[in-house]
Short mmCIF file of all heavy atoms in Angstrom, two decimals:
data_model
loop_
_atom_site.label_atom_id
_atom_site.label_comp_id
_atom_site.label_asym_id
_atom_site.label_seq_id
_atom_site.Cartn_x
_atom_site.Cartn_y
_atom_site.Cartn_z
N LEU O 103 103.20 85.05 241.92
CA LEU O 103 103.32 86.48 242.25
C LEU O 103 104.08 87.12 241.09
O LEU O 103 105.29 86.95 240.95
CB LEU O 103 104.08 86.66 243.57
CG LEU O 103 103.58 85.83 244.77
CD1 LEU O 103 104.40 86.14 246.01
CD2 LEU O 103 102.10 86.05 245.02
N LEU O 104 103.36 87.83 240.25
CA LEU O 104 103.91 88.32 238.98
C LEU O 104 104.05 89.83 238.98
O LEU O 104 103.05 90.56 239.03
CB LEU O 104 103.00 87.87 237.83
CG LEU O 104 103.40 88.30 236.42
CD1 LEU O 104 104.79 87.79 236.06
CD2 LEU O 104 102.36 87.81 235.42
N SER O 105 105.28 90.31 238.94
CA SER O 105 105.52 91.74 238.89
C SER O 105 104.97 92.34 237.60
O SER O 105 105.03 91.71 236.54
CB SER O 105 107.03 92.03 238.98
OG SER O 105 107.55 91.56 240.20
N VAL O 106 104.43 93.52 237.71
CA VAL O 106 103.83 94.18 236.56
C VAL O 106 104.93 94.70 235.63
O VAL O 106 105.80 95.46 236.05
CB VAL O 106 102.91 95.34 236.99
CG1 VAL O 106 102.37 96.08 235.78
CG2 VAL O 106 101.76 94.81 237.85
N VAL O 107 104.87 94.26 234.38
CA VAL O 107 105.81 94.71 233.35
C VAL O 107 104.99 95.27 232.20
O VAL O 107 103.77 95.40 232.30
CB VAL O 107 106.71 93.55 232.89
CG1 VAL O 107 107.64 93.11 234.00
CG2 VAL O 107 105.88 92.37 232.39
N LYS O 108 105.64 95.62 231.11
CA LYS O 108 104.92 96.15 229.95
C LYS O 108 103.76 95.22 229.61
O LYS O 108 103.91 94.00 229.60
CB LYS O 108 105.86 96.30 228.77
CG LYS O 108 106.92 97.39 229.00
CD LYS O 108 107.86 97.52 227.82
CE LYS O 108 108.90 98.59 228.08
NZ LYS O 108 109.87 98.73 226.95
N PHE O 109 102.62 95.80 229.32
CA PHE O 109 101.39 95.04 229.29
C PHE O 109 101.37 93.93 228.25
O PHE O 109 100.74 92.88 228.48
CB PHE O 109 100.19 95.97 229.08
CG PHE O 109 99.90 96.84 230.29
CD1 PHE O 109 99.31 98.08 230.15
CD2 PHE O 109 100.21 96.40 231.56
CE1 PHE O 109 99.03 98.86 231.25
CE2 PHE O 109 99.95 97.18 232.69
CZ PHE O 109 99.35 98.42 232.53
N ASP O 110 102.03 94.10 227.10
CA ASP O 110 102.03 93.01 226.14
C ASP O 110 102.74 91.79 226.70
O ASP O 110 102.29 90.64 226.55
CB ASP O 110 102.64 93.45 224.80
CG ASP O 110 104.05 94.00 224.95
OD1 ASP O 110 104.47 94.32 226.07
OD2 ASP O 110 104.73 94.13 223.90
N ALA O 111 103.86 92.01 227.39
CA ALA O 111 104.60 90.92 228.02
C ALA O 111 103.84 90.36 229.20
O ALA O 111 103.80 89.13 229.41
CB ALA O 111 105.97 91.40 228.46
N PHE O 112 103.22 91.22 229.99
CA PHE O 112 102.45 90.77 231.16
C PHE O 112 101.28 89.89 230.73
O PHE O 112 101.04 88.83 231.33
CB PHE O 112 101.94 92.00 231.93
CG PHE O 112 101.27 91.68 233.24
CD1 PHE O 112 102.03 91.47 234.39
CD2 PHE O 112 99.90 91.61 233.32
CE1 PHE O 112 101.41 91.18 235.60
CE2 PHE O 112 99.27 91.33 234.53
CZ PHE O 112 100.03 91.10 235.67
N GLU O 113 100.59 90.31 229.69
CA GLU O 113 99.44 89.55 229.23
C GLU O 113 99.86 88.22 228.60
O GLU O 113 99.16 87.21 228.73
CB GLU O 113 98.63 90.40 228.25
CG GLU O 113 97.96 91.57 228.95
CD GLU O 113 97.33 92.58 228.02
OE1 GLU O 113 97.39 92.37 226.77
OE2 GLU O 113 96.77 93.59 228.50
N TRP O 114 101.00 88.21 227.94
CA TRP O 114 101.53 86.96 227.39
C TRP O 114 101.85 86.00 228.53
O TRP O 114 101.58 84.81 228.45
CB TRP O 114 102.77 87.27 226.56
CG TRP O 114 103.20 86.18 225.65
CD1 TRP O 114 102.70 85.87 224.41
CD2 TRP O 114 104.26 85.24 225.89
NE1 TRP O 114 103.38 84.81 223.88
CE2 TRP O 114 104.33 84.40 224.75
CE3 TRP O 114 105.14 85.03 226.94
CZ2 TRP O 114 105.27 83.36 224.66
CZ3 TRP O 114 106.07 84.00 226.84
CH2 TRP O 114 106.13 83.18 225.71
N ALA O 115 102.41 86.54 229.61
CA ALA O 115 102.73 85.72 230.78
C ALA O 115 101.46 85.17 231.43
O ALA O 115 101.42 84.02 231.88
CB ALA O 115 103.53 86.53 231.79
N LEU O 116 100.41 85.97 231.49
CA LEU O 116 99.13 85.50 232.04
C LEU O 116 98.60 84.31 231.24
O LEU O 116 98.15 83.31 231.80
CB LEU O 116 98.09 86.62 232.01
CG LEU O 116 98.29 87.81 232.95
CD1 LEU O 116 97.13 88.79 232.77
CD2 LEU O 116 98.40 87.38 234.39
N GLU O 117 98.67 84.44 229.93
CA GLU O 117 98.17 83.38 229.05
C GLU O 117 98.95 82.07 229.27
O GLU O 117 98.35 81.00 229.43
CB GLU O 117 98.29 83.83 227.60
CG GLU O 117 97.87 82.81 226.58
CD GLU O 117 98.07 83.32 225.16
OE1 GLU O 117 97.46 84.36 224.82
OE2 GLU O 117 98.82 82.68 224.39
N LYS O 118 100.27 82.17 229.28
CA LYS O 118 101.09 80.97 229.41
C LYS O 118 101.02 80.38 230.82
O LYS O 118 101.04 79.16 230.99
CB LYS O 118 102.54 81.27 229.03
CG LYS O 118 102.70 81.79 227.61
CD LYS O 118 101.96 80.92 226.60
CE LYS O 118 101.96 81.53 225.21
NZ LYS O 118 101.11 80.77 224.25
N ALA O 119 100.91 81.24 231.82
CA ALA O 119 100.76 80.74 233.19
C ALA O 119 99.47 79.96 233.34
O ALA O 119 99.42 78.93 234.04
CB ALA O 119 100.80 81.90 234.18
N THR O 120 98.42 80.42 232.68
CA THR O 120 97.15 79.70 232.71
C THR O 120 97.30 78.32 232.08
O THR O 120 96.84 77.32 232.62
CB THR O 120 96.07 80.50 231.97
OG1 THR O 120 95.90 81.77 232.60
CG2 THR O 120 94.74 79.76 231.98
N GLU O 121 97.97 78.27 230.94
CA GLU O 121 98.18 77.00 230.26
C GLU O 121 99.04 76.05 231.09
O GLU O 121 98.90 74.82 230.98
CB GLU O 121 98.84 77.23 228.90
CG GLU O 121 97.95 77.96 227.90
CD GLU O 121 98.67 78.22 226.59
OE1 GLU O 121 99.62 77.49 226.27
OE2 GLU O 121 98.27 79.16 225.88
N LEU O 122 99.91 76.60 231.93
CA LEU O 122 100.77 75.78 232.77
C LEU O 122 100.14 75.45 234.12
O LEU O 122 100.79 74.87 234.98
CB LEU O 122 102.12 76.48 232.95
CG LEU O 122 103.01 76.44 231.71
CD1 LEU O 122 104.14 77.46 231.81
CD2 LEU O 122 103.58 75.04 231.50
N GLY O 123 98.89 75.82 234.30
CA GLY O 123 98.12 75.31 235.41
C GLY O 123 98.10 76.11 236.70
O GLY O 123 97.64 75.59 237.72
N VAL O 124 98.55 77.36 236.70
CA VAL O 124 98.54 78.11 237.96
C VAL O 124 97.13 78.25 238.50
O VAL O 124 96.16 78.39 237.74
CB VAL O 124 99.18 79.52 237.83
CG1 VAL O 124 100.64 79.42 237.49
CG2 VAL O 124 98.43 80.36 236.83
N ALA O 125 97.01 78.23 239.81
CA ALA O 125 95.70 78.33 240.46
C ALA O 125 95.34 79.77 240.81
O ALA O 125 94.16 80.12 240.85
CB ALA O 125 95.68 77.47 241.72
N ARG O 126 96.36 80.59 241.04
CA ARG O 126 96.12 81.94 241.55
C ARG O 126 97.23 82.85 241.06
O ARG O 126 98.40 82.46 241.04
CB ARG O 126 96.09 81.90 243.08
CG ARG O 126 95.88 83.21 243.80
CD ARG O 126 95.62 82.93 245.27
NE ARG O 126 95.61 84.14 246.08
CZ ARG O 126 96.65 84.55 246.82
NH1 ARG O 126 97.77 83.82 246.85
NH2 ARG O 126 96.58 85.64 247.54
N ILE O 127 96.87 84.07 240.65
CA ILE O 127 97.86 85.04 240.17
C ILE O 127 97.67 86.35 240.94
O ILE O 127 96.57 86.88 241.03
CB ILE O 127 97.70 85.30 238.66
CG1 ILE O 127 97.91 84.01 237.87
CG2 ILE O 127 98.69 86.37 238.19
CD1 ILE O 127 97.60 84.13 236.39
N VAL O 128 98.78 86.85 241.49
CA VAL O 128 98.77 88.12 242.21
C VAL O 128 99.70 89.09 241.49
O VAL O 128 100.92 88.86 241.47
CB VAL O 128 99.23 87.95 243.67
CG1 VAL O 128 99.16 89.28 244.41
CG2 VAL O 128 98.41 86.89 244.39
N PRO O 129 99.19 90.16 240.88
CA PRO O 129 100.07 91.16 240.29
C PRO O 129 100.78 91.93 241.40
O PRO O 129 100.15 92.32 242.39
CB PRO O 129 99.12 92.05 239.49
CG PRO O 129 97.79 91.88 240.15
CD PRO O 129 97.76 90.48 240.71
N VAL O 130 102.08 92.14 241.22
CA VAL O 130 102.89 92.73 242.29
C VAL O 130 103.47 94.08 241.85
O VAL O 130 104.02 94.20 240.75
CB VAL O 130 104.04 91.79 242.69
CG1 VAL O 130 104.91 92.42 243.76
CG2 VAL O 130 103.46 90.47 243.20
N ALA O 131 103.33 95.06 242.72
CA ALA O 131 103.89 96.40 242.47
C ALA O 131 105.29 96.46 243.05
O ALA O 131 105.52 97.04 244.12
CB ALA O 131 102.99 97.47 243.09
N ALA O 132 106.25 95.84 242.36
CA ALA O 132 107.63 95.83 242.83
C ALA O 132 108.26 97.21 242.68
O ALA O 132 107.79 98.05 241.91
CB ALA O 132 108.45 94.80 242.05
N ALA O 133 109.34 97.43 243.41
CA ALA O 133 109.97 98.75 243.43
C ALA O 133 110.45 99.19 242.05
O ALA O 133 110.42 100.38 241.73
CB ALA O 133 111.14 98.74 244.41
N ARG O 134 110.89 98.23 241.23
CA ARG O 134 111.42 98.57 239.92
C ARG O 134 110.40 98.47 238.80
O ARG O 134 110.76 98.56 237.63
CB ARG O 134 112.64 97.68 239.63
CG ARG O 134 113.83 98.06 240.50
CD ARG O 134 115.00 97.12 240.34
NE ARG O 134 116.14 97.58 241.15
CZ ARG O 134 117.11 96.79 241.60
NH1 ARG O 134 117.09 95.48 241.31
NH2 ARG O 134 118.09 97.28 242.32
N CYS O 135 109.14 98.32 239.15
CA CYS O 135 108.08 98.38 238.14
C CYS O 135 107.90 99.83 237.67
O CYS O 135 108.08 100.77 238.46
CB CYS O 135 106.75 97.88 238.71
SG CYS O 135 106.68 96.11 239.05
N GLU O 136 107.55 100.01 236.42
CA GLU O 136 107.30 101.36 235.93
C GLU O 136 106.04 101.93 236.59
O GLU O 136 105.00 101.28 236.61
CB GLU O 136 107.13 101.36 234.41
CG GLU O 136 108.39 100.98 233.64
CD GLU O 136 108.18 101.06 232.15
OE1 GLU O 136 107.25 101.77 231.70
OE2 GLU O 136 108.96 100.42 231.41
N LYS O 137 106.15 103.13 237.10
CA LYS O 137 105.04 103.73 237.85
C LYS O 137 103.81 103.94 236.96
O LYS O 137 102.67 103.80 237.42
CB LYS O 137 105.47 105.06 238.46
CG LYS O 137 106.70 104.97 239.35
CD LYS O 137 106.57 103.89 240.41
CE LYS O 137 107.82 103.78 241.26
NZ LYS O 137 107.76 102.61 242.18
N GLY O 138 104.05 104.28 235.69
CA GLY O 138 102.92 104.48 234.79
C GLY O 138 102.13 103.19 234.57
O GLY O 138 100.89 103.22 234.47
N LEU O 139 102.83 102.06 234.52
CA LEU O 139 102.15 100.78 234.36
C LEU O 139 101.32 100.44 235.60
O LEU O 139 100.20 99.94 235.49
CB LEU O 139 103.18 99.67 234.10
CG LEU O 139 103.98 99.76 232.81
CD1 LEU O 139 105.00 98.63 232.74
CD2 LEU O 139 103.06 99.72 231.59
N LEU O 140 101.88 100.72 236.76
CA LEU O 140 101.14 100.44 237.99
C LEU O 140 99.88 101.30 238.08
O LEU O 140 98.83 100.83 238.51
CB LEU O 140 102.04 100.71 239.20
CG LEU O 140 103.27 99.81 239.34
CD1 LEU O 140 104.09 100.23 240.55
CD2 LEU O 140 102.87 98.34 239.44
N ALA O 141 99.99 102.55 237.65
CA ALA O 141 98.84 103.45 237.71
C ALA O 141 97.73 103.00 236.76
O ALA O 141 96.54 103.21 237.04
CB ALA O 141 99.28 104.87 237.35
N ALA O 142 98.11 102.39 235.65
CA ALA O 142 97.13 101.97 234.65
C ALA O 142 96.63 100.54 234.86
O ALA O 142 95.70 100.09 234.18
CB ALA O 142 97.73 102.09 233.25
N ALA O 143 97.23 99.82 235.80
CA ALA O 143 96.91 98.40 235.97
C ALA O 143 95.44 98.16 236.30
O ALA O 143 94.83 97.21 235.78
CB ALA O 143 97.80 97.79 237.05
N ALA O 144 94.87 98.98 237.15
CA ALA O 144 93.48 98.77 237.56
C ALA O 144 92.52 98.81 236.38
O ALA O 144 91.52 98.09 236.35
CB ALA O 144 93.08 99.82 238.60
N LYS O 145 92.83 99.65 235.39
CA LYS O 145 91.96 99.77 234.22
C LYS O 145 92.05 98.54 233.32
O LYS O 145 91.21 98.36 232.44
CB LYS O 145 92.34 101.02 233.43
CG LYS O 145 92.16 102.31 234.21
CD LYS O 145 92.59 103.51 233.38
CE LYS O 145 92.43 104.81 234.16
NZ LYS O 145 92.87 106.00 233.38
N ARG O 146 93.06 97.71 233.53
CA ARG O 146 93.25 96.53 232.70
C ARG O 146 92.66 95.26 233.32
O ARG O 146 92.72 94.19 232.71
CB ARG O 146 94.75 96.30 232.49
CG ARG O 146 95.39 97.34 231.58
CD ARG O 146 95.42 96.83 230.16
NE ARG O 146 95.92 97.81 229.23
CZ ARG O 146 96.43 97.51 228.05
NH1 ARG O 146 96.51 96.25 227.67
NH2 ARG O 146 96.84 98.45 227.23
N ALA O 147 92.14 95.37 234.52
CA ALA O 147 91.69 94.19 235.25
C ALA O 147 90.67 93.37 234.46
O ALA O 147 90.75 92.14 234.40
CB ALA O 147 91.12 94.60 236.60
#
């Protein structure tokens, strides 16, 4: 369950999580996530 952060860091985390064998990733809209990032997340899917 990965909170959405700045996209360069988020995408780096996706890459490394894949290499470390995760089976499933859920992006999370936590309260302290930047609202602009959450709004743009769908376009990055």
